[in-house]
Amino acid sequence: MRLQLILCDMLMLPAERLAAESPHEIIVSDLSASLHVEPLPLRDRIQEHIDRIEAEDHEVDAILLGYGLCGGATAGLVSKRVPLVLPRAHDCVTIFLGSRDRYQLEQESTPGTYWFTEDNVKRGNAFMGALLGSSERSDGVKATYDEYVEKYGKENADYLMEALGEWQQHYSRGAFLETGFAPDDVALERARVETESRGWRFETVLSDMGLIKRLLDGEWNDAFLVVQPGETLVMSYDDDVIKAVPVQAAGT
Amino acid sequence: MADFERLQAAVEAGDRGTAVEITQAAIDEGIPPLEILDPMTEAMGVIGDRFSRQEIFVPEMLISARAMKGAVALLEPLLIGSGHKPDKVAVLGTIKGDLHDIGKNLVAMMLKGANFQIVDLGTNTTAEEFLKAAREHSADVIGCSALLTTTMGNMRDVTAAVAGADDLPDLRVIIGGAPVTLEFALDIGADGWAPDAASAVHVATAVVETARGERDIEGVVHPEALAAVTA
């Protein structure tokens, strides 16, 4: 099969390596994880990619998505000609952990976990836009603080940093997802520093790349959703996470 | 004479210092506290509408709510002294498993400005905790929020528990949060759903007043129904 893969750059490293091992021809294009800050632009960007592939690649058999539901960002995606295939996952942490069940266990044992991957640390997306901390810390946070001071004054800016960064008080763990592909002590150390500076416990968690491997190998069992042309992806509000319905039924 | 236009503008701009200063001057002039509260409630209404139209975002909402909170702190002892008390009670919390509370805090500040008593249960709240607090405070409405699709399913436990609580026939449940949709609210049998913190005030008011028989809006409250409430 000839497969086009659109994926979040959080998954770039493992996906590139596993794409090379797939029995199928895989063409990879990635979108920045920083688009997650606003779900709608992310959906629009993925849809633009799908539309472009369908218009330009007449040999493609399916379009693979290296995304989960991602806060609703993939809800509403459609294709005209070829199926879309993606894991039944809330987000990329499921994809790194290999199954919905394992993610659920992790969520239940430590709901306040901030997940790091080699890709998000390296690309500087580890603490992005909406995820603010003290102005003394991560890259980009200082710039946000300065912008607030200019717009709203110092007193309001201090308050906003505190209010918008308060979620960090509720978190208790920073977890670095090890893929085993490229042991990267620099990324791991940076994740450890970010974690410890927030007073959280640091752990490394071993990834299971089985889910993404099956996606790329074309082994689409019930852990995956296939959205046929004329259907659209919607939230299922149950353990299946997502489902496909006729475009008309979704009212889109 | 207290400058209420300036007070309203100060809250809209998130200028806490000016809002507090004018409020204090108005108190010193002997103006009744409820009259001083009016321009601030008005300001939060304006801010809420601008937020719903995406003309402003969370930071602007937060600083306006903070400005109002600062000024209201001066009025509270006077309001209590004059026997004035909130006529509606809301129990708020983020749902079990969810630790993200910026939206819930914003809703709390907005509801307080709309004369609700707030019982804030914080984050990671179970259905049992919601119900216990609702009984203890004779609440009119439970407000539940979620940021994650992994946790929003737990809201089912809250609507099921309230539906099964025979001693709380008038208690209502409203839900919200970034991934939470009207479709999901209908699916789990919530009484109301709001797409943002500003509409949460209208929705909470509508479901409580409907439960009391003061209005007649049945079922899940959505933007179309809101038009009827705010008209």
Side-chain angles (χ1 to χ4, degrees):
Chain A
M1 284 192 289
R2 178 179 165 90
L3 305 169
Q4 287 263 9
L5 169 66
I6 305 171
L7 83 166
C8 173
D9 64 13
M10 293 273 279
L11 286 159
M12 199 59 194
L13 245 150
E16 271 184 335
R17 279 162 179 76
L18 292 167
E21 294 171 9
S22 169
H24 306 291
E25 180 189 1
I26 295 179
I27 299 138
V28 182
S29 47
D30 68 294
L31 298 176
S32 169
S34 62
L35 292 168
H36 282 62
V37 177
E38 296 286 338
L40 274 177
L42 175 58
R43 180 185 312 154
D44 292 347
R45 288 285 301 280
I46 299 172
Q47 189 63 57
E48 278 169 26
H49 255 66
I50 293 169
D51 294 346
R52 192 160 60 232
I53 289 167
E54 291 202 299
E56 293 173 2
D57 185 348
H58 299 287
E59 307 295 317
V60 65
D61 293 297
I63 298 171
L64 311 179
L65 301 175
Y67 289 93
L69 176 56
C70 300
T74 54
L77 290 177
V78 291
S79 80
K80 295 184 192 73
R81 199 165 52 78
V82 293
L84 304 174
V85 187
L86 75 165
R88 294 183 181 278
H90 283 285
D91 53 47
C92 63
V93 180
T94 307
I95 302 175
F96 275 99
L97 292 174
S99 72
R100 279 166 282 164
D101 290 347
R102 189 172 168 210
Y103 188 22
Q104 196 177 335
L105 284 175
E106 289 284 350
Q107 283 274 101
E108 281 168 10
S109 70
T110 317
T113 297
Y114 195 93
W115 297 96
F116 294 92
T117 69
E118 288 174 10
D119 275 303
N120 79 355
V121 173
K122 274 184 177 167
R123 289 167 205 268
N125 290 332
F127 281 93
M128 50 201 175
L131 307 175
L132 296 172
S134 147
S135 59
E136 302 303 313
R137 286 198 285 256
S138 313
D139 303 342
V141 174
K142 178 80 168 67
T144 307
Y145 176 71
D146 291 345
E147 189 192 322
Y148 285 165
V149 171
E150 196 181 321
K151 271 168 109 169
Y152 313 117
K154 187 180 179 306
E155 200 197 335
N156 274 333
D158 287 338
Y159 165 69
L160 285 174
M161 297 307 279
E162 189 191 319
L164 296 173
E166 205 181 304
W167 62 272
Q168 297 175 76
Q169 310 297 323
H170 307 310
Y171 271 46
S172 58
R173 175 173 74 152
F176 186 84
L177 288 155
E178 280 191 310
T179 60
F181 285 116
D184 187 336
D185 295 341
V186 177
L188 189 142
E189 272 315 305
R190 183 137 180 245
R192 183 198 302 278
V193 169
E194 292 280 3
T195 296
E196 289 173 354
S197 76
R198 288 167 171 80
W200 306 333
R201 175 176 93 250
F202 182 73
E203 279 175 19
T204 55
V205 173
L206 200 59
S207 301
D208 173 352
M209 289 287 126
L211 198 58
I212 187 120
K213 184 169 167 42
R214 291 203 298 282
L215 175 72
L216 299 173
D217 288 354
E219 294 170 12
W220 305 323
N221 60 8
D222 59 8
F224 298 88
L225 173 70
V226 180
V227 182
Q228 299 291 351
E231 292 183 330
T232 185
L233 187 159
V234 295
M235 290 194 222
S236 68
Y237 308 120
D238 58 20
D239 291 344
D240 285 341
V241 185
I242 47 178
K243 63 182 178 183
V245 298
V247 171
Q248 281 106 335
T252 51
Chain B
M1 186 65 198
D3 188 344
F4 282 170
E5 267 180 38
R6 229 179 113 224
L7 176 57
Q8 181 176 337
V11 172
E12 285 177 28
D15 180 350
R16 185 168 77 155
T18 304
V20 166
E21 186 188 310
I22 298 172
T23 301
Q24 187 58 57
I27 293 169
D28 294 344
E29 281 177 39
I31 298 173
L34 274 177
E35 277 181 42
I36 308 172
L37 195 61
D38 271 347
M40 294 193 266
T41 309
E42 187 75 20
M44 289 315 290
V46 171
I47 283 291
D49 291 343
R50 292 181 65 201
F51 182 81
S52 295
R53 291 196 301 268
Q54 298 193 346
E55 291 169 10
I56 57 165
F57 299 98
V58 169
E60 285 88 354
M61 287 272 280
L62 281 171
I63 61 172
S64 283
R66 175 173 177 261
M68 177 161 176
K69 198 175 166 186
V72 168
L74 299 177
L75 296 176
E76 265 173 353
L78 304 173
L79 288 167
I80 293 164
S82 63
H84 176 80
K85 57 179 185 181
D87 66 344
K88 302 181 187 76
V89 181
V91 173
L92 304 182
T94 72
I95 195 63
K96 185 185 160 209
D98 212 309
L99 307 178
H100 307 88
D101 60 355
I102 294 174
K104 183 266 296 169
N105 294 342
L106 208 44
V107 170
M109 288 194 274
M110 298 289 287
L111 281 178
K112 205 167 176 197
N115 205 23
F116 274 77
Q117 180 196 329
I118 303 301
V119 180
D120 190 342
L121 302 181
T123 60
N124 197 15
T125 314
T126 63
E128 293 72 32
E129 288 164 342
F130 274 118
L131 251 73
K132 182 169 176 276
R135 286 196 176 95
E136 216 170 291
H137 298 275
S138 305
D140 299 288
V141 62
I142 286 173
C144 235
S145 78
L147 178 72
L148 307 174
T149 56
T150 46
T151 59
M152 65 188 261
N154 295 335
M155 289 178 170
R156 268 179 216 284
D157 300 341
V158 180
T159 49
V162 171
D166 295 336
D167 59 324
L168 300 169
D170 297 327
L171 179 63
R172 297 292 180 260
V173 180
I174 63 170
I175 63 171
V180 179
T181 59
L182 173 60
E183 190 192 11
F184 177 69
L186 288 163
D187 192 50
I188 69 167
D191 300 294
W193 163 81
D196 56 56
S199 349
V201 175
H202 300 309
V203 173
T205 305
V207 296
V208 172
E209 292 182 355
T210 301
R212 290 177 179 178
E214 296 164 8
R215 285 184 189 270
D216 185 21
I217 301 158
E218 286 305 320
V220 170
V221 176
H222 51 79
E224 288 78 22
L226 283 180
V229 181
T230 51

